[in-house]
Amino acid sequence: MSAVLSSPVPTGFEQAFRPRSVAVIGASDDPGRISGRALHYLRRAGYRGRVHPVNHKRTTVQGLPAYPSLDAVPEVPDMALIALPSRLLKQAVADCVAKGVGAAVIYAAGFAETGEEGQALQEELAEMARQGNLRLFGPNCLGLLHAASGFIGTFSSAFDEAIPTGGNVAVVSQSGAYGGHLAYLCRRRNIDIGYWVSTGNEAGTDVADCVHWLALQDDVSVILAYAEGVRDADRLRTALAVAHERRKPVVFMKVGSSDAGAVAARSHTASLVGSDSVYDAFFRQYGVHRARTTQEQVDLAYACSRGVLPAGRRLGVVTVSGGFGVQLCDAAERYGLDVAGLPEEARARLREINPMGSDDNPCDTTAGWLNDMSLITDTYRVMYAQGGYDSVIGSFTMLPDSPTYGEGIKEAIRKGTSDFMDRPTVLCMEARPEVVRSYEEAGFLVYDDSERAVAALDGLARLREGFERPLPSSAVPPALRREVPAGPLSEAAAQRLLASAGVPFPASRVVTSAAEAADAAAETGFPVVMKIVSPDIPHKTEIGGVLLGVADARAAAAGFTALTGRAAAACPGARVEGVLVARTAPRGVEVIVGARRDPVFGPVVLFGTGGVRAELFRDVATRVGAVDRDEALRMIAETRGHALLTGFRGAPEADVDALADLLVTLSAFAVAHADRIEAVELNPVVVLEAGRGVLALDALVVEREAVS
């Protein structure tokens, strides 16, 4: 078993989701009240365990014997649903601990979301639960359910119309309202939910705990998750790693973003890498699909629920009209799916079976097949068997809804795809709900819009690609650890530190007089670059602190005087160590490489093309933690400016391999010094022609102690 799968499993979940007995503390006789709804749901769902209402004012509740206290319940319940106001919760949690209850839900609000007093009470309840080995959900949550056992421990109105009967989709949401909305939409989409949980304020159980446990359940095929924030990145890493190794798709809706904090004032890297882009990177590295809309989340959950992921991105298209084929091809191009042409043998077969139709991909069958449904069957067989497509989309407009043709179309497609059920077959069609359901039961994915259908296939392909990529490794060679000088670092000090870790810089020297500047420039070789060196002036160009193309010794001496004078005038209190004289770098492609410490996920590495243009156009790629060479190459390829590195408009190819090595080095350096360094920036880095390497022309290191 892998180290990930052998990591400790969150305890108490079995009792929470599959309890043998449940106590409803504060249970109401009125099924319309919050305190009565869970009990009503349990009875309505046919919960097979034992239910014990606790109500000190009544002897029966909703037809069941009631008990005056939890202590009076004749057994130790696995699960307690606490439907009491906040002032009574300390005693209720204490009673659960004393009784030995395994798990409990607190529905009530009025905790951390209300201020310091509520926060203190929440922390006290959490500590009581931890000390008592009680798995606590909430407070301020809507509870949870396990459909197969009939345990419906929630008061959410999402289940008023119909209670889930036990599908393979799991929903975990910080927001109970959003989780309920998602469940409602899933039911509307013919998706049956097996597990549902709202984590609320997460005093004892967070989204990561739930994802971890759900990923280990054999009857879960896809996990839908929603979160506004993450407090424990390590727990989330473990949870998503378990889902990755178990090949359980996670479709995550993460909302909310913030700026990069105070360090952004000193580092372009920090301003380029906001918290939202860090989540993007983190999810990408763990093979998670980040949904941007609720519709996207439901659409992909629907596709994943069939448990079939395409082996690749080759897409076949079958239509009854050329116009729909064009729409699908346009969408496929936007989402990176390959509508590759058919081989000649397959095209000849299409001409043979349907002379009036088209003989390539996309295949427009025209209307002739209405007289002979076998044309549709044979077309699908050609697309899969001879075209070798990883998935096929068929666009049939409203024809499946026709009483004349609907059943015949379904049967024709079923026959043509029966040998290829290991691949997703998608139908774009409009029909009554019962007709759509019949097509789904035949094994097809049904969408009413071309764009959404193609987006779902892209999502499935991304998930498959994510499972094929190895998980990121946190191991960093201890030899990378360096002594970081105390206090803010000047560029020269930053260069010395980074060069010792393997970052390449042009030959340079720090001088403290005009005469030394002339000598150093002559020794380096003209023309040279001259820069003011001060830990208090991170952005030298803003004060005229950089001179380019200094051509001779006299100009170098004059340059020293000019640079020190500008620094004194612009920043009179700045500590000036001297002037850096460096060899002018050869021409190449300018990029930015950097790292910063994210407050949740720790070190993050960034790559952007175009130096300053990366900030202007936000053309950057980000990863969390140390990256290996393959991941570094993927980062580089993600940027729009990647073409500049691969011989754009006849330019020579740049040394992408050396650039990838630099990303590996810097990311590992950032991880090795996460306790000391807030940000590192190399801007610009010049990528020379293939085989000639890279050179960092400017370096900035911001220590954590230096960040206010």
Side-chain angles (χ1 to χ4, degrees):
M1 182 181 291
S2 73
V4 169
L5 290 180
S6 62
S7 59
V9 179
T11 59
F13 274 81
E14 192 69 28
Q15 292 160 294
F17 278 100
R18 287 187 273 264
R20 294 163 298 181
S21 59
V22 179
V24 184
I25 303 174
S28 171
D29 197 51
D30 182 354
R33 295 179 62 84
I34 289 176
S35 52
R37 288 179 66 79
L39 181 55
H40 168 71
Y41 277 149
L42 286 168
R43 301 190 69 202
R44 182 176 150 200
Y47 170 59
R48 292 185 289 277
R50 297 172 295 281
V51 182
H52 305 291
V54 176
N55 185 321
H56 70 279
K57 295 181 179 180
R58 301 182 62 91
T59 57
T60 63
V61 174
Q62 296 186 36
L64 295 176
Y67 300 89
S69 67
L70 181 62
D71 185 57
V73 171
E75 65 175 321
V76 177
D78 283 337
M79 179 59 146
L81 306 177
I82 305 176
L84 294 172
S86 57
R87 70 180 185 278
L88 302 177
L89 289 176
K90 283 174 61 175
Q91 186 59 53
V93 171
D95 290 346
C96 287
V97 169
K99 187 76 170 178
V101 174
V105 170
I106 296 177
Y107 296 135
F111 294 90
E113 76 277 10
T114 64
E116 292 182 5
E117 186 176 342
Q119 176 71 41
L121 176 57
Q122 180 175 309
E123 290 175 358
E124 188 174 358
L125 294 175
E127 184 58 27
M128 292 171 63
R130 278 192 293 270
Q131 293 290 337
N133 198 29
L134 174 69
R135 168 61 61 182
L136 188 63
F137 294 84
N140 189 24
C141 80
L142 270 64
L144 64 155
L145 66 79
H146 175 232
S149 66
F151 172 64
I152 313 296
T154 177
F155 64 88
S156 172
S157 61
F159 309 106
D160 264 346
E161 185 176 344
I163 291 175
T165 57
N168 59 3
V169 176
V171 175
V172 50
S173 175
Q174 277 183 345
S175 164
Y178 182 82
H181 181 64
L182 205 55
Y184 177 81
L185 293 177
C186 283
R187 180 172 57 78
R188 293 271 305 268
R189 195 64 194 282
N190 298 334
I191 305 169
D192 205 4
I193 289 173
Y195 298 83
W196 183 93
V197 55
S198 156
T199 59
N201 286 16
E202 301 188 336
T205 303
D206 63 10
V207 166
D209 293 324
C210 297
V211 170
H212 185 164
W213 187 82
L214 290 166
L216 293 170
Q217 306 312 301
D218 291 337
D219 56 350
V220 170
S221 294
V222 55
I223 300 168
L224 303 186
Y226 171 93
E228 290 145 19
V230 172
R231 288 192 290 266
D232 192 325
D234 287 338
R235 282 221 297 265
L236 186 57
R237 278 190 183 93
T238 299
L240 297 181
V242 169
H244 182 277
E245 292 205 9
R246 293 270 294 168
R247 299 180 77 87
K248 298 294 179 75
V250 178
V251 185
F252 212 118
M253 171 77 79
K254 165 63 181 70
V255 298
S257 60
S258 65
D259 60 29
V263 71
R266 288 179 60 82
S267 168
H268 292 295
T269 299
S271 66
L272 284 169
V273 186
S275 65
D276 207 49
S277 63
V278 175
Y279 277 100
D280 273 346
F282 179 75
F283 289 146
R284 184 182 299 111
Q285 286 171 269
Y286 283 85
V288 172
H289 183 96
R290 185 178 185 184
R292 295 294 180 176
T293 68
T294 303
Q295 183 182 76
E296 178 187 359
Q297 196 171 25
V298 173
D299 276 351
L300 192 50
Y302 169 76
C304 288
S305 67
R306 306 308 171 89
V308 178
L309 301 181
R313 290 182 164 268
R314 286 172 51 86
L315 174 64
V317 176
V318 178
T319 72
V320 296
S321 167
F324 290 103
V326 173
Q327 286 185 22
L328 287 165
C329 288
D330 288 348
E333 183 173 310
R334 284 190 290 274
Y335 286 98
L337 299 179
D338 181 15
V339 186
L342 285 163
E344 180 53 38
E345 182 181 351
R347 295 183 65 181
R349 175 61 181 150
L350 285 181
R351 289 193 295 270
E352 178 185 340
I353 64 176
N354 189 6
M356 301 302 293
S358 60
D359 65 348
D360 206 350
N361 185 30
C363 179
D364 175 12
T365 61
T366 70
W369 60 269
L370 292 173
N371 294 324
D372 181 2
M373 294 286 181
S374 69
L375 298 183
I376 291 294
T377 299
D378 291 341
T379 299
Y380 270 96
R381 285 176 178 157
V382 169
M383 299 299 269
Y384 274 134
Q386 295 179 261
Y389 296 113
D390 302 304
S391 55
V392 174
I393 291 183
S395 180
F396 290 90
T397 69
M398 70 296 184
L399 285 167
D401 202 39
S402 164
T404 305
Y405 300 113
E407 277 298 314
I409 294 171
K410 181 177 68 179
E411 184 61 18
I413 301 172
R414 190 195 63 76
K415 288 180 179 178
T417 59
S418 60
D419 292 334
F420 307 98
M421 300 303 289
D422 59 336
R423 312 175 203 188
T425 297
V426 179
L427 302 179
C428 292
M429 54 181 260
E430 287 282 358
R432 287 160 291 157
E434 61 270 23
V435 174
V436 170
R437 170 74 79 172
S438 73
Y439 272 73
E440 291 171 337
E441 290 172 350
F444 309 124
L445 297 171
V446 179
Y447 292 86
D448 61 5
D449 178 78
S450 299
E451 190 81 11
R452 289 169 59 194
V454 175
L457 280 176
D458 170 53
L460 292 178
R462 286 177 183 273
L463 288 166
R464 177 64 173 261
E465 291 157 3
F467 290 142
E468 300 304 326
R469 288 197 299 270
L471 290 169
S473 171
S474 58
V476 174
L480 273 176
R481 183 74 180 185
R482 299 287 186 274
E483 279 298 320
V484 179
L489 272 65
S490 67
E491 182 190 352
Q495 283 198 20
R496 288 193 295 271
L497 175 64
L498 293 168
S500 71
V503 176
F505 293 94
S508 64
R509 177 177 152 193
V510 177
V511 299
T512 56
S513 69
E516 284 186 9
D519 290 343
E523 179 182 322
T524 299
F526 296 106
V528 297
V529 176
M530 300 180 67
K531 296 185 276 189
I532 197 71
V533 178
S534 169
D536 303 319
I537 309 176
H539 302 307
K540 298 172 283 295
T541 56
E542 295 175 5
I543 67 158
V546 178
L547 298 175
L548 304 175
V550 178
D552 54 39
R554 179 179 297 180
F560 178 90
T561 303
L563 290 173
T564 52
R566 291 172 187 173
C571 308
R575 293 161 292 173
V576 175
E577 297 176 3
V579 170
L580 183 76
V581 179
R583 179 179 301 158
T584 298
R587 284 184 171 276
V589 179
E590 289 193 2
V591 301
I592 179 173
V593 174
R596 78 165 178 89
R597 187 188 67 87
D598 181 81
V600 175
F601 294 104
V604 174
V605 65
L606 166 145
F607 166 73
T609 54
V612 173
R613 292 192 296 276
E615 188 167 8
L616 178 62
F617 298 114
R618 313 294 294 185
D619 185 22
V620 298
T622 308
R623 294 293 188 274
V624 175
V627 299
D628 61 19
R629 203 160 183 275
D630 288 341
E631 196 65 35
L633 290 169
R634 280 192 286 269
M635 286 180 68
I636 296 166
E638 278 176 20
T639 59
R640 293 188 298 275
H642 173 246
L644 298 173
L645 298 165
T646 56
F648 184 68
R649 290 193 173 180
E653 290 190 13
D655 201 334
V656 174
D657 289 337
L659 177 57
D661 290 340
L662 176 60
L663 281 164
V664 171
T665 297
L666 189 68
S667 68
F669 177 86
V671 170
H673 299 84
D675 59 326
R676 291 294 311 275
I677 292 177
E678 188 74 18
V680 180
E681 183 177 296
L682 304 174
N683 183 25
V685 171
V686 173
V687 188
L688 306 176
E689 291 183 24
R692 296 184 59 193
V694 298
L695 289 171
L697 305 189
D698 201 315
L700 173 68
V701 173
V702 182
E703 291 185 282
R704 289 187 64 176
E705 293 83 356
V707 179
S708 60

